[in-house]
Structures are given as C-alpha cells and as structure tokens.
Amino acid sequence: DIQMTQSPSSLSASVGDRVTITCRASQSISNYLNWYQHKPGKAPRLLIFAASRLQSGVPSRFSGRGSGTDFTLTISSLQPEDFATFYCQQSYSTPLFGGGTKVEIK
Amino acid sequence: EVRLVESGGGLVQPGGSLRLSCVASGFLFSSYTLHWVRQAPGKGLEYVSGINSDGANTSYAKSVKGRFSISRDNSKDMLSLQMGSLRAEDMAVYYCARAFYYDSTGYFYDTWGQGTLVTVSS
C-alpha cells in the first residue's frame, strides 16, 4: 500500500512569511496529488490538484510542485485567513491523505 | 449552488449500527463518483468508502471493510453509508465528498458536505 508522509506536522509562522509543506509518497504516484486546507468546523477546501494546478478561486499565493514521490505546497506570503491545517491526498490508488500540517500563528 | 448535506449522525453504543445519508443538490448527481471521508477527534482526514456514478463499483478502507456498506439512490440524489459493528475508533465527523475526475485516473474532492458527527460510546 502507498504511504503518504507529510512534514512538518505543525509549524508556527507570521503573516507575510513564506511557508512550504512537504508530502512524500512511498512509491511513485505520478502527479496524482491534491492539496486541501481545513479549518475547524468547516468542510475541507481544495487548493491544488494534479500536483501544481490551482483550483479556480484559490489565491495565487498558493502553489504546488512535484511529481513521482516528492511534492510541496508553498504559500508565498502567509495571510491571516491561511491559518489552518493542510492535507495532501493522492488519487493514484485507493484515496489516502497525508497526516496533515497545522499552520499556527507565531 | 452545488451542495451536499449529511445527516444521520448521533450517539451509538459499541457494536451498534447507524445509517448516514447525504443529499445532493445543484448538480447532476448520477454523473459523479462520491466518497465518504471521516475525521476522528484530534486526527487527520481518512478515506472511508467510495461508489461510482451508477453504483456498480464500491470500495472501502481496510478499517471498515465488512462492517460498512455504501449505496446510492440516483432517483433521490442520495448517498448512504450503513455502518455496523461500530467501534470507539469509528467515532468521527463523517463527510460526503464529490469526486471530480480530470482524467481517467486523477480526481479531486471539489465539493464537501458540512459533516455529521458519529459518537460511539456506552
């Protein structure tokens, strides 16, 4: 079975910081990797699909890169509304989410 | 507006059963694969089960296989999850989510419900 490892599990950052989250698959998943933002009490929100394609309506400060086994989500300038938990999810085989990265205010 | 609304959550004893429902609106329900995804307290998101557009193909996470059953009624725009032999570790917020395929393999969840809470406790 494919395993998804996300790092870090949490981070503290300030408004305006550049933040990068990493997701690693235990075997190649091509570019079948999505990123979601999840806030407490809300439904998850799709940010990036197919590793690097920005979902309609998502601010351009969010970007994704990678293929094969290594992927990153970058927020170029962290905004107050971005504090949340972020998950990667592979759609290459049985759906699987990474463990999540909680982005907190420093 | 594309919408998914879950219901049916509640308190159930270990070993008990519960049926969750998810009603769709704003899109052609019969054209989409749908999944159930859950989040246990303090934990991350976990895939539970999925069903294709006509209901002919289903899949389950290993953790629920043999205990949960997914189904859909395209005439009522409704997705269901029958949960049995419930355990403490099944306690979670359960979300239904629409899977949007952009190629033959790749999909993403573009629409989610607000979730329904299942509590398993004696």
Side-chain angles (χ1 to χ4, degrees), chain A residues 1 32 34 36 38 42-44 46 49-50 87 89 91-92 94-95 97, chain B residues 35 37 39 43-45 47 62 95 102-103 105-109 112-113:
Chain A
D1 292 355
Y32 294 113
N34 308 317
Y36 300 85
H38 193 200
K42 298 285 188 72
L46 175 70
F49 68 96
Y87 295 92
Q89 176 246 328
S91 64
Y92 181 79
T94 301
F97 293 88
Chain B
H35 291 185
V37 175
Q39 184 178 35
K43 303 292 186 180
L45 299 173
Y47 167 78
K62 290 180 182 177
Y95 297 95
Y102 54 88
D103 68 21
T105 298
Y107 65 87
F108 49 79
Y109 301 122
W112 299 67

PDB file of all heavy atoms in Angstrom, chain A residues 1 32 34 36 38 42-44 46 49-50 87 89 91-92 94-95 97, chain B residues 35 37 39 43-45 47 62 95 102-103 105-109 112-113:
ATOM      1  N   ASP A   1       0.834  -1.194   0.000  1.00  0.00           N
ATOM      2  CA  ASP A   1       0.000   0.000   0.000  1.00  0.00           C
ATOM      3  C   ASP A   1       0.877   1.254   0.000  1.00  0.00           C
ATOM      4  O   ASP A   1       1.920   1.303   0.631  1.00  0.00           O
ATOM      5  CB  ASP A   1      -0.899   0.032   1.239  1.00  0.00           C
ATOM      6  CG  ASP A   1      -1.956  -1.044   1.213  1.00  0.00           C
ATOM      7  OD1 ASP A   1      -2.060  -1.754   0.189  1.00  0.00           O
ATOM      8  OD2 ASP A   1      -2.674  -1.183   2.222  1.00  0.00           O
ATOM      9  N   TYR A  32      -0.559  12.643  -9.353  1.00  0.00           N
ATOM     10  CA  TYR A  32      -1.902  12.493  -8.807  1.00  0.00           C
ATOM     11  C   TYR A  32      -1.937  12.871  -7.326  1.00  0.00           C
ATOM     12  O   TYR A  32      -2.161  12.031  -6.435  1.00  0.00           O
ATOM     13  CB  TYR A  32      -2.422  11.082  -9.041  1.00  0.00           C
ATOM     14  CG  TYR A  32      -2.633  10.789 -10.512  1.00  0.00           C
ATOM     15  CD1 TYR A  32      -1.847   9.851 -11.173  1.00  0.00           C
ATOM     16  CD2 TYR A  32      -3.598  11.486 -11.240  1.00  0.00           C
ATOM     17  CE1 TYR A  32      -2.035   9.590 -12.518  1.00  0.00           C
ATOM     18  CE2 TYR A  32      -3.788  11.243 -12.593  1.00  0.00           C
ATOM     19  CZ  TYR A  32      -3.004  10.287 -13.224  1.00  0.00           C
ATOM     20  OH  TYR A  32      -3.181  10.052 -14.560  1.00  0.00           O
ATOM     21  N   ASN A  34      -3.209  16.011  -4.583  1.00  0.00           N
ATOM     22  CA  ASN A  34      -4.021  17.193  -4.326  1.00  0.00           C
ATOM     23  C   ASN A  34      -3.691  17.775  -2.959  1.00  0.00           C
ATOM     24  O   ASN A  34      -3.215  17.054  -2.070  1.00  0.00           O
ATOM     25  CB  ASN A  34      -5.510  16.820  -4.364  1.00  0.00           C
ATOM     26  CG  ASN A  34      -5.905  16.084  -5.633  1.00  0.00           C
ATOM     27  OD1 ASN A  34      -5.490  16.451  -6.728  1.00  0.00           O
ATOM     28  ND2 ASN A  34      -6.719  15.041  -5.485  1.00  0.00           N
ATOM     29  N   TYR A  36      -5.386  20.255   0.238  1.00  0.00           N
ATOM     30  CA  TYR A  36      -6.588  20.831   0.815  1.00  0.00           C
ATOM     31  C   TYR A  36      -6.227  21.662   2.036  1.00  0.00           C
ATOM     32  O   TYR A  36      -5.254  21.383   2.747  1.00  0.00           O
ATOM     33  CB  TYR A  36      -7.576  19.740   1.267  1.00  0.00           C
ATOM     34  CG  TYR A  36      -8.031  18.829   0.156  1.00  0.00           C
ATOM     35  CD1 TYR A  36      -7.278  17.721  -0.197  1.00  0.00           C
ATOM     36  CD2 TYR A  36      -9.203  19.084  -0.552  1.00  0.00           C
ATOM     37  CE1 TYR A  36      -7.679  16.884  -1.224  1.00  0.00           C
ATOM     38  CE2 TYR A  36      -9.616  18.251  -1.574  1.00  0.00           C
ATOM     39  CZ  TYR A  36      -8.844  17.154  -1.911  1.00  0.00           C
ATOM     40  OH  TYR A  36      -9.245  16.330  -2.936  1.00  0.00           O
ATOM     41  N   HIS A  38      -8.040  22.910   5.663  1.00  0.00           N
ATOM     42  CA  HIS A  38      -9.153  22.544   6.525  1.00  0.00           C
ATOM     43  C   HIS A  38      -9.128  23.380   7.788  1.00  0.00           C
ATOM     44  O   HIS A  38      -8.111  23.421   8.505  1.00  0.00           O
ATOM     45  CB  HIS A  38      -9.080  21.050   6.882  1.00  0.00           C
ATOM     46  CG  HIS A  38     -10.333  20.521   7.491  1.00  0.00           C
ATOM     47  ND1 HIS A  38     -10.375  19.360   8.235  1.00  0.00           N
ATOM     48  CD2 HIS A  38     -11.615  20.975   7.451  1.00  0.00           C
ATOM     49  CE1 HIS A  38     -11.607  19.135   8.620  1.00  0.00           C
ATOM     50  NE2 HIS A  38     -12.375  20.105   8.151  1.00  0.00           N
ATOM     51  N   LYS A  42     -15.377  23.441   9.576  1.00  0.00           N
ATOM     52  CA  LYS A  42     -15.684  23.719   8.173  1.00  0.00           C
ATOM     53  C   LYS A  42     -15.361  22.489   7.311  1.00  0.00           C
ATOM     54  O   LYS A  42     -14.649  21.583   7.737  1.00  0.00           O
ATOM     55  CB  LYS A  42     -14.845  24.904   7.674  1.00  0.00           C
ATOM     56  CG  LYS A  42     -15.113  26.216   8.389  1.00  0.00           C
ATOM     57  CD  LYS A  42     -16.399  26.836   7.956  1.00  0.00           C
ATOM     58  CE  LYS A  42     -16.628  28.239   8.503  1.00  0.00           C
ATOM     59  NZ  LYS A  42     -15.754  29.233   7.875  1.00  0.00           N
ATOM     60  N   ALA A  43     -15.893  22.491   6.100  1.00  0.00           N
ATOM     61  CA  ALA A  43     -15.528  21.458   5.144  1.00  0.00           C
ATOM     62  C   ALA A  43     -14.138  21.749   4.586  1.00  0.00           C
ATOM     63  O   ALA A  43     -13.757  22.920   4.427  1.00  0.00           O
ATOM     64  CB  ALA A  43     -16.538  21.412   4.004  1.00  0.00           C
ATOM     65  N   PRO A  44     -13.360  20.722   4.284  1.00  0.00           N
ATOM     66  CA  PRO A  44     -12.061  20.961   3.623  1.00  0.00           C
ATOM     67  C   PRO A  44     -12.264  21.694   2.300  1.00  0.00           C
ATOM     68  O   PRO A  44     -13.294  21.565   1.649  1.00  0.00           O
ATOM     69  CB  PRO A  44     -11.527  19.544   3.404  1.00  0.00           C
ATOM     70  CG  PRO A  44     -12.178  18.724   4.475  1.00  0.00           C
ATOM     71  CD  PRO A  44     -13.568  19.308   4.598  1.00  0.00           C
ATOM     72  N   LEU A  46     -10.437  22.506  -1.466  1.00  0.00           N
ATOM     73  CA  LEU A  46      -9.403  22.149  -2.438  1.00  0.00           C
ATOM     74  C   LEU A  46      -8.594  23.379  -2.824  1.00  0.00           C
ATOM     75  O   LEU A  46      -9.163  24.417  -3.164  1.00  0.00           O
ATOM     76  CB  LEU A  46     -10.056  21.544  -3.686  1.00  0.00           C
ATOM     77  CG  LEU A  46      -9.118  21.216  -4.847  1.00  0.00           C
ATOM     78  CD1 LEU A  46      -8.228  20.025  -4.486  1.00  0.00           C
ATOM     79  CD2 LEU A  46      -9.918  20.928  -6.110  1.00  0.00           C
ATOM     80  N   PHE A  49      -4.738  20.775  -7.415  1.00  0.00           N
ATOM     81  CA  PHE A  49      -4.934  19.414  -7.896  1.00  0.00           C
ATOM     82  C   PHE A  49      -3.880  19.099  -8.948  1.00  0.00           C
ATOM     83  O   PHE A  49      -3.237  20.004  -9.507  1.00  0.00           O
ATOM     84  CB  PHE A  49      -6.363  19.194  -8.409  1.00  0.00           C
ATOM     85  CG  PHE A  49      -6.707  19.959  -9.669  1.00  0.00           C
ATOM     86  CD1 PHE A  49      -6.612  19.366 -10.913  1.00  0.00           C
ATOM     87  CD2 PHE A  49      -7.155  21.277  -9.591  1.00  0.00           C
ATOM     88  CE1 PHE A  49      -6.946  20.058 -12.059  1.00  0.00           C
ATOM     89  CE2 PHE A  49      -7.483  21.975 -10.729  1.00  0.00           C
ATOM     90  CZ  PHE A  49      -7.378  21.367 -11.967  1.00  0.00           C
ATOM     91  N   ALA A  50      -3.709  17.818  -9.215  1.00  0.00           N
ATOM     92  CA  ALA A  50      -2.676  17.364 -10.154  1.00  0.00           C
ATOM     93  C   ALA A  50      -1.324  17.993  -9.843  1.00  0.00           C
ATOM     94  O   ALA A  50      -0.612  18.445 -10.748  1.00  0.00           O
ATOM     95  CB  ALA A  50      -3.107  17.650 -11.593  1.00  0.00           C
ATOM     96  N   TYR A  87      -3.653  19.363   4.120  1.00  0.00           N
ATOM     97  CA  TYR A  87      -3.506  17.932   3.845  1.00  0.00           C
ATOM     98  C   TYR A  87      -3.167  17.704   2.379  1.00  0.00           C
ATOM     99  O   TYR A  87      -3.753  18.336   1.491  1.00  0.00           O
ATOM    100  CB  TYR A  87      -4.799  17.180   4.130  1.00  0.00           C
ATOM    101  CG  TYR A  87      -5.232  17.158   5.566  1.00  0.00           C
ATOM    102  CD1 TYR A  87      -6.096  18.116   6.073  1.00  0.00           C
ATOM    103  CD2 TYR A  87      -4.779  16.154   6.427  1.00  0.00           C
ATOM    104  CE1 TYR A  87      -6.496  18.094   7.396  1.00  0.00           C
ATOM    105  CE2 TYR A  87      -5.176  16.124   7.760  1.00  0.00           C
ATOM    106  CZ  TYR A  87      -6.035  17.097   8.227  1.00  0.00           C
ATOM    107  OH  TYR A  87      -6.436  17.063   9.549  1.00  0.00           O
ATOM    108  N   GLN A  89      -3.278  14.647  -0.568  1.00  0.00           N
ATOM    109  CA  GLN A  89      -4.127  13.469  -0.831  1.00  0.00           C
ATOM    110  C   GLN A  89      -3.752  12.902  -2.185  1.00  0.00           C
ATOM    111  O   GLN A  89      -3.692  13.643  -3.174  1.00  0.00           O
ATOM    112  CB  GLN A  89      -5.602  13.856  -0.825  1.00  0.00           C
ATOM    113  CG  GLN A  89      -6.556  12.723  -1.188  1.00  0.00           C
ATOM    114  CD  GLN A  89      -7.301  12.957  -2.496  1.00  0.00           C
ATOM    115  OE1 GLN A  89      -7.593  14.091  -2.855  1.00  0.00           O
ATOM    116  NE2 GLN A  89      -7.608  11.886  -3.208  1.00  0.00           N
ATOM    117  N   SER A  91      -4.518  10.460  -5.434  1.00  0.00           N
ATOM    118  CA  SER A  91      -5.642   9.826  -6.119  1.00  0.00           C
ATOM    119  C   SER A  91      -5.139   8.787  -7.124  1.00  0.00           C
ATOM    120  O   SER A  91      -5.886   8.377  -8.012  1.00  0.00           O
ATOM    121  CB  SER A  91      -6.505  10.872  -6.826  1.00  0.00           C
ATOM    122  OG  SER A  91      -5.766  11.523  -7.855  1.00  0.00           O
ATOM    123  N   TYR A  92      -3.898   8.351  -6.972  1.00  0.00           N
ATOM    124  CA  TYR A  92      -3.316   7.350  -7.882  1.00  0.00           C
ATOM    125  C   TYR A  92      -3.905   5.969  -7.622  1.00  0.00           C
ATOM    126  O   TYR A  92      -4.135   5.189  -8.542  1.00  0.00           O
ATOM    127  CB  TYR A  92      -1.808   7.327  -7.677  1.00  0.00           C
ATOM    128  CG  TYR A  92      -1.067   6.367  -8.567  1.00  0.00           C
ATOM    129  CD1 TYR A  92      -0.786   6.690  -9.887  1.00  0.00           C
ATOM    130  CD2 TYR A  92      -0.633   5.138  -8.075  1.00  0.00           C
ATOM    131  CE1 TYR A  92      -0.099   5.808 -10.705  1.00  0.00           C
ATOM    132  CE2 TYR A  92       0.052   4.250  -8.884  1.00  0.00           C
ATOM    133  CZ  TYR A  92       0.324   4.601 -10.193  1.00  0.00           C
ATOM    134  OH  TYR A  92       1.007   3.731 -10.999  1.00  0.00           O
ATOM    135  N   THR A  94      -6.096   3.733  -4.054  1.00  0.00           N
ATOM    136  CA  THR A  94      -7.082   3.957  -3.002  1.00  0.00           C
ATOM    137  C   THR A  94      -6.779   5.295  -2.324  1.00  0.00           C
ATOM    138  O   THR A  94      -5.649   5.527  -1.895  1.00  0.00           O
ATOM    139  CB  THR A  94      -7.045   2.830  -1.963  1.00  0.00           C
ATOM    140  OG1 THR A  94      -7.311   1.591  -2.617  1.00  0.00           O
ATOM    141  CG2 THR A  94      -8.086   3.058  -0.872  1.00  0.00           C
ATOM    142  N   PRO A  95      -7.774   6.161  -2.216  1.00  0.00           N
ATOM    143  CA  PRO A  95      -7.506   7.509  -1.695  1.00  0.00           C
ATOM    144  C   PRO A  95      -6.811   7.481  -0.342  1.00  0.00           C
ATOM    145  O   PRO A  95      -7.152   6.689   0.532  1.00  0.00           O
ATOM    146  CB  PRO A  95      -8.909   8.111  -1.561  1.00  0.00           C
ATOM    147  CG  PRO A  95      -9.774   7.316  -2.452  1.00  0.00           C
ATOM    148  CD  PRO A  95      -9.187   5.944  -2.514  1.00  0.00           C
ATOM    149  N   PHE A  97      -4.845  10.296   2.501  1.00  0.00           N
ATOM    150  CA  PHE A  97      -4.415  11.628   2.904  1.00  0.00           C
ATOM    151  C   PHE A  97      -3.105  11.549   3.682  1.00  0.00           C
ATOM    152  O   PHE A  97      -2.837  10.556   4.373  1.00  0.00           O
ATOM    153  CB  PHE A  97      -5.467  12.281   3.804  1.00  0.00           C
ATOM    154  CG  PHE A  97      -6.754  12.604   3.116  1.00  0.00           C
ATOM    155  CD1 PHE A  97      -7.771  11.665   3.036  1.00  0.00           C
ATOM    156  CD2 PHE A  97      -6.970  13.857   2.552  1.00  0.00           C
ATOM    157  CE1 PHE A  97      -8.961  11.960   2.401  1.00  0.00           C
ATOM    158  CE2 PHE A  97      -8.159  14.165   1.919  1.00  0.00           C
ATOM    159  CZ  PHE A  97      -9.159  13.218   1.836  1.00  0.00           C
TER     160      PHE A  97
ATOM    161  N   HIS B  35     -17.646   9.864  -2.358  1.00  0.00           N
ATOM    162  CA  HIS B  35     -16.881   9.205  -1.301  1.00  0.00           C
ATOM    163  C   HIS B  35     -17.363   9.667   0.064  1.00  0.00           C
ATOM    164  O   HIS B  35     -17.921  10.749   0.216  1.00  0.00           O
ATOM    165  CB  HIS B  35     -15.385   9.545  -1.423  1.00  0.00           C
ATOM    166  CG  HIS B  35     -14.714   8.944  -2.608  1.00  0.00           C
ATOM    167  ND1 HIS B  35     -13.359   9.055  -2.816  1.00  0.00           N
ATOM    168  CD2 HIS B  35     -15.192   8.215  -3.649  1.00  0.00           C
ATOM    169  CE1 HIS B  35     -13.023   8.432  -3.931  1.00  0.00           C
ATOM    170  NE2 HIS B  35     -14.126   7.919  -4.461  1.00  0.00           N
ATOM    171  N   VAL B  37     -15.539  10.455   3.706  1.00  0.00           N
ATOM    172  CA  VAL B  37     -14.253  10.739   4.352  1.00  0.00           C
ATOM    173  C   VAL B  37     -14.563  11.113   5.793  1.00  0.00           C
ATOM    174  O   VAL B  37     -15.553  11.802   6.054  1.00  0.00           O
ATOM    175  CB  VAL B  37     -13.526  11.902   3.639  1.00  0.00           C
ATOM    176  CG1 VAL B  37     -12.245  12.290   4.381  1.00  0.00           C
ATOM    177  CG2 VAL B  37     -13.219  11.535   2.192  1.00  0.00           C
ATOM    178  N   GLN B  39     -13.107  12.270   9.937  1.00  0.00           N
ATOM    179  CA  GLN B  39     -12.062  12.852  10.761  1.00  0.00           C
ATOM    180  C   GLN B  39     -12.374  12.546  12.224  1.00  0.00           C
ATOM    181  O   GLN B  39     -13.325  13.091  12.785  1.00  0.00           O
ATOM    182  CB  GLN B  39     -11.927  14.358  10.558  1.00  0.00           C
ATOM    183  CG  GLN B  39     -10.774  14.954  11.349  1.00  0.00           C
ATOM    184  CD  GLN B  39     -10.599  16.434  11.134  1.00  0.00           C
ATOM    185  OE1 GLN B  39     -11.548  17.172  10.956  1.00  0.00           O
ATOM    186  NE2 GLN B  39      -9.344  16.882  11.138  1.00  0.00           N
ATOM    187  N   LYS B  43      -7.555  13.936  14.997  1.00  0.00           N
ATOM    188  CA  LYS B  43      -6.843  13.194  13.957  1.00  0.00           C
ATOM    189  C   LYS B  43      -7.030  13.851  12.597  1.00  0.00           C
ATOM    190  O   LYS B  43      -7.739  14.846  12.460  1.00  0.00           O
ATOM    191  CB  LYS B  43      -7.363  11.752  13.901  1.00  0.00           C
ATOM    192  CG  LYS B  43      -7.250  10.994  15.208  1.00  0.00           C
ATOM    193  CD  LYS B  43      -5.817  10.706  15.584  1.00  0.00           C
ATOM    194  CE  LYS B  43      -5.728   9.835  16.817  1.00  0.00           C
ATOM    195  NZ  LYS B  43      -4.333   9.534  17.196  1.00  0.00           N
ATOM    196  N   GLY B  44      -6.396  13.272  11.584  1.00  0.00           N
ATOM    197  CA  GLY B  44      -6.483  13.799  10.242  1.00  0.00           C
ATOM    198  C   GLY B  44      -7.627  13.204   9.439  1.00  0.00           C
ATOM    199  O   GLY B  44      -8.442  12.432   9.953  1.00  0.00           O
ATOM    200  N   LEU B  45      -7.671  13.557   8.171  1.00  0.00           N
ATOM    201  CA  LEU B  45      -8.716  13.061   7.284  1.00  0.00           C
ATOM    202  C   LEU B  45      -8.412  11.626   6.861  1.00  0.00           C
ATOM    203  O   LEU B  45      -7.256  11.271   6.608  1.00  0.00           O
ATOM    204  CB  LEU B  45      -8.805  13.956   6.047  1.00  0.00           C
ATOM    205  CG  LEU B  45      -9.161  15.416   6.304  1.00  0.00           C
ATOM    206  CD1 LEU B  45      -9.043  16.232   5.024  1.00  0.00           C
ATOM    207  CD2 LEU B  45     -10.572  15.531   6.882  1.00  0.00           C
ATOM    208  N   TYR B  47     -10.012   8.452   4.312  1.00  0.00           N
ATOM    209  CA  TYR B  47     -10.963   7.895   3.348  1.00  0.00           C
ATOM    210  C   TYR B  47     -11.683   6.710   3.986  1.00  0.00           C
ATOM    211  O   TYR B  47     -11.056   5.876   4.641  1.00  0.00           O
ATOM    212  CB  TYR B  47     -10.224   7.459   2.098  1.00  0.00           C
ATOM    213  CG  TYR B  47     -11.024   6.591   1.156  1.00  0.00           C
ATOM    214  CD1 TYR B  47     -11.978   7.157   0.315  1.00  0.00           C
ATOM    215  CD2 TYR B  47     -10.841   5.214   1.121  1.00  0.00           C
ATOM    216  CE1 TYR B  47     -12.716   6.371  -0.548  1.00  0.00           C
ATOM    217  CE2 TYR B  47     -11.576   4.426   0.265  1.00  0.00           C
ATOM    218  CZ  TYR B  47     -12.510   4.994  -0.578  1.00  0.00           C
ATOM    219  OH  TYR B  47     -13.238   4.203  -1.420  1.00  0.00           O
ATOM    220  N   LYS B  62      -9.615  -0.482   4.529  1.00  0.00           N
ATOM    221  CA  LYS B  62      -9.457  -1.760   5.240  1.00  0.00           C
ATOM    222  C   LYS B  62     -10.085  -1.692   6.629  1.00  0.00           C
ATOM    223  O   LYS B  62     -10.615  -2.686   7.128  1.00  0.00           O
ATOM    224  CB  LYS B  62      -7.967  -2.101   5.356  1.00  0.00           C
ATOM    225  CG  LYS B  62      -7.316  -2.480   4.048  1.00  0.00           C
ATOM    226  CD  LYS B  62      -5.841  -2.792   4.247  1.00  0.00           C
ATOM    227  CE  LYS B  62      -5.178  -3.125   2.915  1.00  0.00           C
ATOM    228  NZ  LYS B  62      -3.714  -3.360   3.066  1.00  0.00           N
ATOM    229  N   TYR B  95     -17.848  13.050   6.444  1.00  0.00           N
ATOM    230  CA  TYR B  95     -18.145  13.951   5.333  1.00  0.00           C
ATOM    231  C   TYR B  95     -18.461  13.131   4.082  1.00  0.00           C
ATOM    232  O   TYR B  95     -17.774  12.136   3.803  1.00  0.00           O
ATOM    233  CB  TYR B  95     -16.949  14.823   4.986  1.00  0.00           C
ATOM    234  CG  TYR B  95     -16.476  15.777   6.060  1.00  0.00           C
ATOM    235  CD1 TYR B  95     -15.438  15.432   6.923  1.00  0.00           C
ATOM    236  CD2 TYR B  95     -17.039  17.045   6.186  1.00  0.00           C
ATOM    237  CE1 TYR B  95     -14.970  16.317   7.882  1.00  0.00           C
ATOM    238  CE2 TYR B  95     -16.587  17.942   7.139  1.00  0.00           C
ATOM    239  CZ  TYR B  95     -15.553  17.564   7.984  1.00  0.00           C
ATOM    240  OH  TYR B  95     -15.101  18.447   8.929  1.00  0.00           O
ATOM    241  N   TYR B 102     -10.521  14.514 -13.568  1.00  0.00           N
ATOM    242  CA  TYR B 102      -9.985  15.347 -14.635  1.00  0.00           C
ATOM    243  C   TYR B 102      -9.258  14.515 -15.686  1.00  0.00           C
ATOM    244  O   TYR B 102      -8.914  15.034 -16.743  1.00  0.00           O
ATOM    245  CB  TYR B 102      -9.053  16.436 -14.082  1.00  0.00           C
ATOM    246  CG  TYR B 102      -7.925  15.936 -13.212  1.00  0.00           C
ATOM    247  CD1 TYR B 102      -6.710  15.565 -13.769  1.00  0.00           C
ATOM    248  CD2 TYR B 102      -8.076  15.846 -11.838  1.00  0.00           C
ATOM    249  CE1 TYR B 102      -5.667  15.115 -12.969  1.00  0.00           C
ATOM    250  CE2 TYR B 102      -7.040  15.390 -11.024  1.00  0.00           C
ATOM    251  CZ  TYR B 102      -5.843  15.030 -11.601  1.00  0.00           C
ATOM    252  OH  TYR B 102      -4.805  14.585 -10.815  1.00  0.00           O
ATOM    253  N   ASP B 103      -8.990  13.251 -15.390  1.00  0.00           N
ATOM    254  CA  ASP B 103      -8.540  12.293 -16.393  1.00  0.00           C
ATOM    255  C   ASP B 103      -8.994  10.910 -15.936  1.00  0.00           C
ATOM    256  O   ASP B 103      -9.751  10.805 -14.976  1.00  0.00           O
ATOM    257  CB  ASP B 103      -7.032  12.390 -16.692  1.00  0.00           C
ATOM    258  CG  ASP B 103      -6.151  11.945 -15.535  1.00  0.00           C
ATOM    259  OD1 ASP B 103      -6.619  11.195 -14.640  1.00  0.00           O
ATOM    260  OD2 ASP B 103      -4.982  12.339 -15.512  1.00  0.00           O
ATOM    261  N   THR B 105      -7.636   8.642 -14.328  1.00  0.00           N
ATOM    262  CA  THR B 105      -7.161   8.235 -13.001  1.00  0.00           C
ATOM    263  C   THR B 105      -7.318   9.328 -11.969  1.00  0.00           C
ATOM    264  O   THR B 105      -7.722   9.075 -10.830  1.00  0.00           O
ATOM    265  CB  THR B 105      -5.669   7.821 -13.065  1.00  0.00           C
ATOM    266  OG1 THR B 105      -5.537   6.697 -13.929  1.00  0.00           O
ATOM    267  CG2 THR B 105      -5.125   7.477 -11.682  1.00  0.00           C
ATOM    268  N   GLY B 106      -6.988  10.526 -12.329  1.00  0.00           N
ATOM    269  CA  GLY B 106      -6.902  11.611 -11.364  1.00  0.00           C
ATOM    270  C   GLY B 106      -8.235  12.261 -11.057  1.00  0.00           C
ATOM    271  O   GLY B 106      -9.053  12.510 -11.941  1.00  0.00           O
ATOM    272  N   TYR B 107      -8.455  12.503  -9.782  1.00  0.00           N
ATOM    273  CA  TYR B 107      -9.666  13.190  -9.347  1.00  0.00           C
ATOM    274  C   TYR B 107      -9.318  14.011  -8.120  1.00  0.00           C
ATOM    275  O   TYR B 107      -8.275  13.832  -7.486  1.00  0.00           O
ATOM    276  CB  TYR B 107     -10.781  12.189  -9.006  1.00  0.00           C
ATOM    277  CG  TYR B 107     -10.447  11.318  -7.825  1.00  0.00           C
ATOM    278  CD1 TYR B 107     -10.730  11.722  -6.524  1.00  0.00           C
ATOM    279  CD2 TYR B 107      -9.794  10.108  -8.010  1.00  0.00           C
ATOM    280  CE1 TYR B 107     -10.367  10.945  -5.439  1.00  0.00           C
ATOM    281  CE2 TYR B 107      -9.433   9.326  -6.937  1.00  0.00           C
ATOM    282  CZ  TYR B 107      -9.715   9.749  -5.655  1.00  0.00           C
ATOM    283  OH  TYR B 107      -9.348   8.985  -4.589  1.00  0.00           O
ATOM    284  N   PHE B 108     -10.210  14.908  -7.794  1.00  0.00           N
ATOM    285  CA  PHE B 108     -10.090  15.642  -6.539  1.00  0.00           C
ATOM    286  C   PHE B 108     -11.486  15.808  -5.951  1.00  0.00           C
ATOM    287  O   PHE B 108     -12.496  15.642  -6.638  1.00  0.00           O
ATOM    288  CB  PHE B 108      -9.423  17.002  -6.749  1.00  0.00           C
ATOM    289  CG  PHE B 108     -10.009  17.819  -7.873  1.00  0.00           C
ATOM    290  CD1 PHE B 108     -11.193  18.530  -7.704  1.00  0.00           C
ATOM    291  CD2 PHE B 108      -9.367  17.884  -9.104  1.00  0.00           C
ATOM    292  CE1 PHE B 108     -11.716  19.283  -8.746  1.00  0.00           C
ATOM    293  CE2 PHE B 108      -9.877  18.636 -10.141  1.00  0.00           C
ATOM    294  CZ  PHE B 108     -11.068  19.329  -9.975  1.00  0.00           C
ATOM    295  N   TYR B 109     -11.525  16.120  -4.668  1.00  0.00           N
ATOM    296  CA  TYR B 109     -12.791  16.387  -3.994  1.00  0.00           C
ATOM    297  C   TYR B 109     -13.081  17.878  -4.107  1.00  0.00           C
ATOM    298  O   TYR B 109     -12.436  18.683  -3.435  1.00  0.00           O
ATOM    299  CB  TYR B 109     -12.721  15.973  -2.527  1.00  0.00           C
ATOM    300  CG  TYR B 109     -12.412  14.516  -2.303  1.00  0.00           C
ATOM    301  CD1 TYR B 109     -11.308  14.121  -1.553  1.00  0.00           C
ATOM    302  CD2 TYR B 109     -13.227  13.516  -2.827  1.00  0.00           C
ATOM    303  CE1 TYR B 109     -11.021  12.786  -1.333  1.00  0.00           C
ATOM    304  CE2 TYR B 109     -12.948  12.177  -2.601  1.00  0.00           C
ATOM    305  CZ  TYR B 109     -11.846  11.814  -1.861  1.00  0.00           C
ATOM    306  OH  TYR B 109     -11.570  10.487  -1.639  1.00  0.00           O
ATOM    307  N   TRP B 112     -17.735  19.292  -0.669  1.00  0.00           N
ATOM    308  CA  TRP B 112     -17.863  18.541   0.569  1.00  0.00           C
ATOM    309  C   TRP B 112     -19.133  18.969   1.292  1.00  0.00           C
ATOM    310  O   TRP B 112     -19.542  20.131   1.206  1.00  0.00           O
ATOM    311  CB  TRP B 112     -16.687  18.824   1.502  1.00  0.00           C
ATOM    312  CG  TRP B 112     -15.331  18.479   1.004  1.00  0.00           C
ATOM    313  CD1 TRP B 112     -14.643  19.066  -0.024  1.00  0.00           C
ATOM    314  CD2 TRP B 112     -14.460  17.479   1.542  1.00  0.00           C
ATOM    315  NE1 TRP B 112     -13.395  18.488  -0.157  1.00  0.00           N
ATOM    316  CE2 TRP B 112     -13.256  17.513   0.795  1.00  0.00           C
ATOM    317  CE3 TRP B 112     -14.566  16.558   2.593  1.00  0.00           C
ATOM    318  CZ2 TRP B 112     -12.175  16.657   1.065  1.00  0.00           C
ATOM    319  CZ3 TRP B 112     -13.496  15.713   2.865  1.00  0.00           C
ATOM    320  CH2 TRP B 112     -12.319  15.765   2.098  1.00  0.00           C
ATOM    321  N   GLY B 113     -19.711  18.056   2.064  1.00  0.00           N
ATOM    322  CA  GLY B 113     -20.768  18.443   2.972  1.00  0.00           C
ATOM    323  C   GLY B 113     -20.176  19.085   4.219  1.00  0.00           C
ATOM    324  O   GLY B 113     -18.947  19.207   4.351  1.00  0.00           O
TER     325      GLY B 113
END
